[in-house]
Amino acid sequence: MDNSIARRPYNLTLLTPRQMACADRQAAAGGVSGVDLMEAAGRAVAAAVIARWSPRATTVLCGPGNNGGDGFVTARHLAAAGWAVRVALLGERDQLSGPAAHHAALWPDTPAALAPECLDGAALVIDAIFGAGLSRPVNGPARAILEALGAAGVPVCAIDVPSGLDGATGQLRGIAVAADMTVTFFRKKPGHLLFPGRRLCGDLVLADIGVPDSVLEAIDPKTFENGPLLWLDRYPWPQAEGHKYQRGEVLVLGGPHIAGATRMTARAAMRIGAGLVTLAAPTATWAIDAAALAGVIVSEFRGADGLSRLLADPRRNAIAIGPGAGVGKSTRRYVLSALATKRSVVLDADAITAFEARSKTLFDAISGPCVLTPHAGEFARLFGKLAKAADKLSRTRQAAAQSGAVVVLKGPDTVIAAPDGRAIINANAPPQLATGGSGDVLTGFVAGLIAQGLPAFEAAAAAVWLHGAAGSAFGLGLVAEDLANVLPGVLQDLARRVS
């Protein structure tokens, strides 16, 4: 992925709170003052509030830092629009500094103390206590007001993030109240997309406050929200003079027991455009697989020697192993044989679990392009203590660096990480994807895109996004088999973006 995408306006770049602070400093060095940025931020929040709610009694909860300064500006603009606004402040106004002190001085009334009683009579609350960079658990008066706010049942608009939410990780710093809407600035933060942060943010509004896109060059961000902008210009669309061998061949290793899983993987690889798909079927399931899969080459194989014969054809440039493969020595042998070809390999499910307590053997064997697609349980089996050592974004990055593979840590907030530190957070997965076999289809999507020439990291990102888009397109009642059938419509819509 070319980091030039980071310079496009309103793209999919994500910034940690530290990187956002750096962006503010870069903007100030370029002549955009902190006072002006804060004015633009508060004005944007007020505009978003006015667009969503009718005028009503509003309490703005302000903290002692820049987030509180944004709150004072928001209060001023709402009051100017005729809203009844009350401001409550954590601490004293004369203790504020910098742009926050400047804007707090423009508020004509004395702020109330930040205490539960300041919520009395409020029909809307603006949460401007703490921003995305909070580094300690919420306690004292701030915790008391958030507990009262959670019990009050009034609509909440959060500025930047709901107070108590870590913008870098999406984790709680003790307590946070779910917002109906969150307004953030310049770029989203990882915590807006990672759970539980995504659930707590409500509807997310991204506002332009005058920070120039050029500041991203110095920051060099490596985290992105998944979306076509990241990979669409490299997507392997069929070409007028192309033929099936140019579109690659996926070899899917079949399993002796849960054969339906590998059939879904094979169908998915076909649907996403692989020129050919071969299912290596054990003798026990060969007849069933051959009858069930029109358009797929079903080749019987017996043991490691049989797989080696299938791997001998270099045109089979992407290999998918795991769904329905079974856990044991044979699966480990198959995986190591596939990796030894140095062709692209996608490992899921049993191919991951088979290396529990043997992860070094697997990682040492990875020398070509490889994608691992574990869910949380499989991740824990393969990476052990790393599964509990850090937030989801960090542990996926560490896993990719440790294994030498692209790691797709699945879930409602799937994270895709490359060994070089790039990472993508996916946010389009609907809840109906939580159904048996959904991951088997994803494996086929990834392998099919890699076979067509998309690099492993971009192929994983595109497959995950298309997987989510297909789930949304089908809607409720989804079963895994539906995903490949719905995919053509999703691809047609995507193709219109480049036509």
Side-chain angles (χ1 to χ4, degrees):
M1 181 170 54
D2 182 355
N3 269 357
S4 64
I5 62 173
R7 296 191 288 273
R8 299 176 187 172
Y10 288 95
N11 56 41
L12 301 169
T13 302
L14 301 174
L15 297 181
T16 66
R18 286 186 179 182
Q19 290 173 323
M20 187 64 217
C22 180
D24 289 341
R25 291 193 297 271
Q26 293 285 332
V32 184
S33 74
V35 167
D36 290 342
L37 289 176
M38 191 169 286
E39 174 70 22
R43 184 171 61 244
V45 175
V49 167
I50 291 170
R52 176 159 182 154
W53 288 286
S54 59
R56 61 193 63 199
T58 300
T59 296
V60 182
L61 307 176
C62 293
N66 286 341
N67 201 246
D70 296 338
F72 275 103
V73 178
T74 301
R76 177 160 47 83
H77 282 279
L78 289 176
W83 288 47
V85 182
R86 183 185 190 190
V87 174
L89 175 63
L90 179 61
E92 301 297 328
R93 182 154 46 177
D94 59 10
Q95 295 175 330
L96 299 175
S97 61
H102 171 87
H103 286 293
L106 299 178
W107 180 248
D109 302 324
T110 300
L114 194 75
E117 51 266 27
C118 71
L119 299 175
D120 293 345
L124 175 68
V125 171
I126 310 296
D127 174 7
I129 306 173
F130 300 120
L134 183 67
S135 59
R136 63 186 185 281
V138 178
N139 53 30
R143 186 178 184 96
I145 192 70
L146 290 177
E147 289 173 346
L149 179 59
V154 297
V156 177
C157 172
I159 297 181
D160 199 19
V161 295
S163 292
L165 178 66
D166 186 331
T169 68
Q171 298 300 301
L172 297 183
R173 295 286 188 177
I175 186 175
V177 176
D180 298 272
M181 178 175 71
T182 296
V183 183
T184 194
F185 315 111
F186 183 55
R187 293 297 188 272
K188 297 177 187 178
K189 318 301 184 295
H192 291 134
L193 304 183
L194 296 167
F195 280 96
R198 193 196 308 175
R199 170 172 49 80
L200 293 170
C201 288
D203 296 330
L204 189 63
V205 176
L206 179 62
D208 178 8
I209 59 172
V211 178
D213 293 331
S214 59
V215 304
L216 294 172
E217 295 181 14
I219 296 171
D220 189 25
K222 294 185 182 298
T223 308
F224 305 88
E225 178 181 358
N226 201 7
L229 177 62
L230 299 183
W231 36 262
L232 189 56
D233 59 350
R234 304 180 72 173
Y235 194 84
W237 299 109
Q239 299 300 309
E241 296 182 3
H243 55 77
K244 60 187 177 185
Y245 292 109
Q246 290 176 330
R247 298 191 62 77
E249 181 175 352
V250 176
L251 177 64
V252 179
L253 180 72
H257 303 299
I258 309 175
T262 47
R263 288 197 291 270
M264 284 193 288
T265 300
R267 284 196 183 98
M270 287 173 54
R271 280 293 190 193
I272 211 158
L276 290 167
V277 177
T278 295
L279 175 61
T283 301
T285 63
W286 177 83
I288 299 171
D289 290 335
L293 287 172
V296 172
I297 302 167
V298 181
S299 294
E300 183 180 5
F301 86 100
R302 296 181 181 181
D305 291 341
L307 181 61
S308 294
R309 285 192 291 273
L310 293 173
L311 290 173
D313 187 342
R315 293 176 298 182
R316 292 171 177 148
N317 60 328
I319 305 157
I321 304 177
V327 177
K329 292 181 181 179
S330 59
T331 296
R332 289 196 294 273
R333 286 198 298 269
Y334 299 151
V335 169
L336 296 176
S337 295
L339 291 172
T341 67
K342 301 187 185 305
R343 292 176 226 153
S344 297
V345 179
V346 184
L347 302 179
D348 182 29
D350 292 345
I352 293 172
T353 299
F355 285 91
E356 184 175 9
R358 296 176 175 85
S359 58
K360 187 177 187 302
T361 300
L362 174 62
F363 301 159
D364 287 348
I366 295 173
S367 56
C370 182
V371 180
L372 307 176
T373 63
H375 57 54
E378 293 158 353
F379 185 93
R381 293 175 203 130
L382 190 60
F383 292 100
K385 294 180 180 179
L386 184 56
K388 299 180 180 179
D391 63 274
K392 187 170 186 176
L393 180 58
S394 295
R395 64 177 175 263
T396 310
R397 272 198 168 106
Q398 292 177 47
Q402 181 178 334
S403 65
V406 172
V407 176
V408 179
L409 182 48
K410 296 182 290 194
D413 52 355
T414 293
V415 176
I416 305 115
D420 63 8
R422 292 174 295 162
I424 292 170
I425 304 172
N426 194 71
N428 78 333
Q432 57 266 28
L433 283 179
T435 183
S438 176
D440 305 326
V441 174
L442 177 62
T443 297
F445 285 175
V446 177
L449 289 174
I450 290 176
Q452 295 170 76
L454 202 57
F457 183 62
E458 287 81 356
V464 168
W465 188 90
L466 290 166
H467 192 249
S472 295
F474 187 91
L476 297 176
L478 174 80
V479 295
E481 294 92 329
D482 298 321
L483 289 165
N485 295 330
V486 173
L487 180 67
V490 173
L491 291 174
Q492 294 286 358
D493 290 340
L494 193 62
R496 294 188 186 100
R497 302 191 189 189
V498 294
S499 61

